[in-house]
Amino acid sequence: MTRGRAFSHNKYHGRLKDWSSDHNKWNDKLYPHWEEGDPRWNNCWKGGKVVATLTSDSPALVGSNVTFTVTLKFPRCQREDNDSNIVYDRKCLNGSSNYTEGLPDQYVYNWTEWIDNCGWGNCTHNNSHNNSHNVFPDGKPFPYHHDWRRRNFIYVFHTLGQYFQKTGGSSAVVSINTTNITLGKQMMEVSIYRRGYRSYVPVTAASIIYVVTDKITLYVNMTQKNDRNVSDHIFIKDIPITFEVKIHDPSHYLNSSNVSYQWNYGDGSGLFVSNNSVSTHTYKLQGNFSPDLLVQAFIPAPCGPVTPPPPPTTPAITTQLPPNVTTPTSYSLTDLPPAEGCHIARNGPYKTSISIVEGILGINIIQMTSIQVAATEVENSMVDFVVTCQGSLPTDACTMIADPTCQVLQSEACDPVDVADECLLTIRRAFNESGTYCVNITLGDATSLALTSTLVSIGGAGGSFSRTAEGVLIACGFLVVFAVCLTFFLYKRYKQYKPIEQEQVQEAPREGLKVYFNNVKAVLFPANNEKDPLLKTKPGIV
């Protein structure tokens, strides 16, 4: 800040609205200036140092507004109360003892008491110049606000050889229009003062670089069903990719503009032009591709004589519709109302690289078979889910069991799978209570993850599965002794996890006997199957 010195690091630009030239006189008595390293900084605030955080919503498209926010962070165990006084936080602990114990006063700064000793515009405090206390560094009086008693900090913003003053609490916000600002990087500085008895005391300062550009700032969010990692830019062949364009326009400068999106997906499919920010595209081949996008906006602007703009990186153009002739004339906005048919054209390019690979396209449950393995106070049931998938072969399978609303997860289990040439698996899941369950089954590989869901009813909930196992158990009771020996042999053999063979699905005549063996095994060798939900006890069963 120049503080009244006839010097500026920046060449004077077109006047920012409500801002003043930094060549104005600065009241050093009321608002003293301390250079960096001055020892007075160490005692400017009780209990430590105040830190100012200055942020902006830059980059800003030339012609739009850029907003700056400064927030004060007070020393530990200090906070701002509802009256904007700074008080000690009695709940703030320092180890095992209370940091604020023994303090003579709850206030760090009790500005309410100070201001109540005088009215609005009448706080002189008899300082050496008898100046009014409610003025800015350049002598202008504070604007009146209904909450003026809570505005005990003075913020002086400085950029491009101009300054802006305002009062506030522990934070302040200011916006500027970028129409007359030179493209590129600029500096915003802010100095903060606190109210004192006889003058305002420097508290802290901050600065930030902001950017003004003639290019529309944007990013593209790419999503795809079954894509396992959304951030690796690897996508699956034959599944649509959704491209969602997000334009950075915090001041809503482009709200009244005509915006178009021109896509080239890089696979030889040609150009696609739309006025919708969301588009989809399906790649039919594997490989690496470079989709690119050009966003164009036609911004309403005044017609007629115009003033030259700051030199842009690429020239802005004015067009008058309906003629299709464009004139490469640069100009800036004026206070004239926009005339219909006159526009400023701005654009924003985007380009990226993606890889298209094989993946799991979908998964289906083609058969569900219930196997009753015990009849006790709580029924124990096992269900075989026969699933198939399209696309590449999976490397892992997971089952998730939740409540009937599919919201509350109850259990989850995952295992690697080894499928040779056909995606056909049997996943066996154990249920130790009757009821209705939501079952999610996922099959995945390195790049894709496919999901399917179903509702199943077990036991007393009005099961939807066949009770064939119970009938077989009663009718074939005389085979118990033989079944004990055979069950033990099968139990050892079926622990190896393998994909189901196509022939096993078709061996319906033998299914009843297998179900019977499983039930007998559960009676003679009871166990908590829920602890090992993905059983490896049958060839081809997960």
Side-chain angles (χ1 to χ4, degrees):
M1 302 276 298
T2 57
R3 287 166 297 281
R5 299 178 179 85
F7 175 79
S8 176
H9 294 286
N10 295 282
K11 183 178 179 181
Y12 185 73
H13 291 256
R15 178 65 58 86
L16 298 174
K17 185 179 180 181
D18 299 326
W19 287 56
S20 304
S21 168
D22 63 6
H23 293 179
N24 292 344
K25 188 175 180 180
W26 180 286
N27 187 342
D28 287 312
K29 298 296 183 180
L30 193 59
Y31 288 87
H33 168 66
W34 302 335
E35 296 291 345
E36 185 177 354
D38 192 309
R40 288 175 290 182
W41 282 111
N42 298 327
N43 301 314
C44 66
W45 189 272
K46 297 178 184 178
K49 293 185 177 181
V50 177
V51 177
T53 302
L54 180 62
T55 61
S56 79
D57 57 11
S58 161
L61 183 63
V62 63
S64 69
N65 291 342
V66 58
T67 299
F68 302 87
T69 302
V70 57
T71 304
L72 300 182
K73 183 179 180 180
F74 302 111
R76 186 173 181 271
C77 296
Q78 297 182 14
R79 63 178 179 85
E80 186 180 36
D81 67 7
N82 294 333
D83 294 324
S84 197
N85 294 308
I86 309 301
V87 299
Y88 292 104
D89 188 354
R90 299 290 176 177
K91 298 180 180 179
C92 179
L93 299 180
N94 183 14
S96 59
S97 61
N98 194 324
Y99 176 75
T100 60
E101 283 183 359
L103 292 174
D105 193 353
Q106 74 178 83
Y107 291 101
V108 182
Y109 294 103
N110 186 359
W111 287 306
T112 302
E113 181 182 5
W114 298 359
I115 297 176
D116 285 343
N117 292 331
C118 59
W120 169 256
N122 193 32
C123 288
T124 60
H125 293 296
N126 296 319
N127 61 41
S128 58
H129 292 277
N130 200 30
N131 290 327
S132 173
H133 205 59
N134 290 330
V135 295
F136 288 114
D138 60 1
K140 292 180 181 179
F142 292 166
Y144 180 78
H145 300 277
H146 70 279
D147 60 344
W148 65 274
R149 293 177 183 272
R150 300 179 179 178
R151 296 171 176 259
N152 295 296
F153 291 96
I154 289 78
Y155 297 85
V156 185
F157 293 85
H158 181 256
T159 188
L160 303 172
Q162 299 163 80
Y163 69 91
F164 181 81
Q165 312 163 115
K166 70 181 302 182
T167 59
S170 59
S171 64
V173 178
V174 66
S175 295
I176 59 175
N177 186 270
T178 61
T179 298
N180 296 315
I181 297 180
T182 302
L183 302 179
K185 296 180 179 180
Q186 307 295 344
M187 173 75 77
M188 173 64 76
E189 301 169 295
V190 61
S191 297
I192 300 99
Y193 288 76
R194 66 169 173 86
R195 184 182 293 274
Y197 279 106
R198 296 182 179 276
S199 65
Y200 291 90
V201 182
V203 171
T204 187
S207 63
I208 192 175
I209 297 292
Y210 64 100
V211 177
V212 179
T213 176
D214 61 347
K215 299 295 183 183
I216 298 173
T217 304
L218 58 94
Y219 73 93
V220 178
N221 186 29
M222 293 177 286
T223 58
Q224 184 186 43
K225 180 182 177 182
N226 295 358
D227 184 25
R228 191 159 196 166
N229 187 346
V230 297
S231 61
D232 61 3
H233 279 207
I234 299 177
F235 298 95
I236 306 166
K237 182 173 71 75
D238 294 328
I239 296 182
I241 303 175
T242 299
F243 299 85
E244 184 178 8
V245 183
K246 298 286 188 179
I247 294 178
H248 179 72
D249 184 29
S251 67
H252 309 294
Y253 175 59
L254 300 177
N255 274 12
S256 58
S257 304
N258 182 11
V259 182
S260 64
Y261 305 84
Q262 180 176 295
W263 277 102
N264 183 345
Y265 296 106
D267 59 350
S269 58
L271 296 179
F272 176 75
V273 181
S274 172
N275 59 0
N276 194 332
S277 61
V278 179
S279 63
T280 60
H281 184 71
T282 302
Y283 287 86
K284 300 295 185 181
L285 300 175
Q286 298 183 63
N288 298 321
F289 301 92
S290 298
D292 62 71
L293 166 70
L294 181 65
V295 176
Q296 291 184 314
F298 292 91
I299 308 165
C303 294
V306 294
T307 57
T313 56
T314 57
I317 61 171
T318 60
T319 61
Q320 187 165 354
L321 303 177
N324 294 325
V325 178
T326 59
T327 304
T329 304
S330 298
Y331 68 96
S332 64
L333 302 181
T334 67
D335 293 331
L336 298 174
E340 183 178 0
C342 294
H343 300 80
I344 299 175
R346 301 291 183 197
N347 63 73
Y350 173 86
K351 189 169 185 176
T352 190
S353 297
I354 62 174
S355 297
I356 304 299
V357 299
E358 290 280 0
I360 302 174
L361 304 180
I363 175 176
N364 295 294
I365 300 175
I366 61 174
Q367 182 180 347
M368 294 185 293
T369 304
S370 176
I371 304 174
Q372 293 301 119
V373 296
T376 60
E377 293 182 1
V378 178
E379 287 191 347
N380 292 320
S381 298
M382 292 202 305
V383 179
D384 282 352
F385 299 89
V386 181
V387 298
T388 184
C389 64
Q390 301 79 45
S392 62
L393 299 177
T395 58
D396 55 82
C398 294
T399 56
M400 291 163 283
I401 294 182
D403 69 323
T405 65
C406 298
Q407 299 297 318
V408 181
L409 182 64
Q410 297 179 356
S411 62
E412 180 179 5
C414 296
D415 264 351
V417 298
D418 185 12
V419 182
D421 55 3
E422 185 178 6
C423 184
L424 187 63
L425 300 170
T426 294
I427 298 177
R428 177 166 292 178
R429 195 66 167 95
F431 301 83
N432 58 9
E433 292 183 2
S434 61
T436 301
Y437 299 89
C438 173
V439 179
N440 291 333
I441 298 177
T442 60
L443 299 180
D445 60 11
T447 59
S448 59
L449 189 68
L451 167 71
T452 187
S453 300
T454 187
L455 286 175
V456 298
S457 295
I458 303 297
S464 58
F465 299 110
S466 171
R467 297 295 183 176
T468 305
E470 294 179 4
V472 172
L473 182 61
I474 296 173
C476 302
F478 63 92
L479 295 176
V480 170
V481 177
F482 172 77
V484 169
C485 299
L486 186 58
T487 299
F488 182 80
F489 171 76
L490 294 176
Y491 178 78
K492 293 295 185 179
R493 182 180 178 184
Y494 289 171
K495 292 180 73 173
Q496 179 64 34
Y497 173 81
K498 296 178 180 178
I500 191 171
E501 298 295 334
Q502 185 71 22
E503 302 85 63
Q504 290 177 311
V505 179
Q506 299 173 355
E507 290 179 358
R510 301 182 183 178
E511 187 61 23
L513 186 58
K514 294 176 183 178
V515 170
Y516 162 75
F517 290 155
N518 280 312
N519 280 274
V520 173
K521 178 190 68 176
V523 173
L524 299 176
F525 302 94
N528 186 358
N529 292 327
E530 187 62 16
K531 295 180 180 178
D532 188 14
L534 294 184
L535 299 180
K536 303 179 181 179
T537 60
K538 181 179 178 181
I541 297 180
V542 180

